[in-house]
Each structure stands twice: as structure tokens, then as C-alpha cells.
Amino acid sequence: MKATWNGAVIADSKDTVLVEGNHYFPESALNRDFVTFSNHRSTCPWKGEAKYLSLLVNGELNADAAWYYPDPKPEAENIRGRVAFWKGVKVED
């Protein structure tokens, strides 16, 4: 699977975990050249607290376009160390 935005490959891996329609990529698959900080947080009742990352590609910012669960609840342990995308990031084979 590949995650792309604004003409750049943000993540690429054959090892993704599908949860609620979202592909969670291993953190090691992230292209850190395009990832930047975000203060945003949210909470899922069964996964726990999510932290977000923003994307910066060709001078354009996509705020809070990626999220991850640094300390997921036991039911979501399979997404520990993984990142998912939204906000226009294309995820496809």
C-alpha cells in the first residue's frame, strides 16, 4: 500500500493493518521528509488517545493529516507503532 499526497509518497509498505476502513502503516514506512509536528489530539472510546502529525509537501501544509495511538488500549494493540491518514491523502495499492 502507498499513501500519497500532493505528488509525494508519504508512506509505502506491504504490511498495513486495516481498522475501520483505515490502513495503518508501520511508523518505519513513513517518509519523515514530509512529516511535521501537530498539537492536535483526539480520543476514541476503544482505541485510546490519538496524536496527530501534519504533512508539508512542496511548501503546502496538510494539518493533522496523519494520526497514531502511542499507547493504545488493549483492544487496539495491533495498531501500536502504526500511522493512518486522511484529509486527502490517497491510500492505494
Side-chain angles (χ1 to χ4, degrees):
M1 299 298 293
K2 263 188 199 175
T4 58
W5 181 73
N6 204 20
V9 176
I10 308 302
D12 189 359
S13 177
K14 292 183 188 311
D15 173 27
T16 64
V17 173
L18 189 62
V19 176
E20 296 179 328
N22 297 299
H23 285 272
Y24 283 78
F25 289 75
E27 281 183 52
S28 60
L30 264 181
N31 186 336
R32 294 281 177 183
D33 292 342
F34 303 122
V35 177
T36 189
F37 180 76
S38 169
N39 277 324
H40 192 67
R41 306 279 185 271
S42 67
T43 303
C44 170
W46 73 273
K47 291 186 293 256
E49 184 185 56
K51 294 186 176 183
Y52 288 73
L53 299 166
S54 295
L55 305 177
L56 184 60
V57 178
N58 299 322
E60 289 188 46
L61 181 68
N62 190 344
D64 312 326
W67 74 92
Y68 64 100
Y69 292 86
D71 189 24
K73 291 184 176 184
E75 305 84 40
E77 188 61 34
N78 62 332
I79 58 170
R80 181 183 295 275
R82 294 180 173 272
V83 181
F85 302 95
W86 67 325
K87 290 193 164 183
V89 177
K90 268 194 214 169
V91 176
E92 55 198 359
D93 264 331

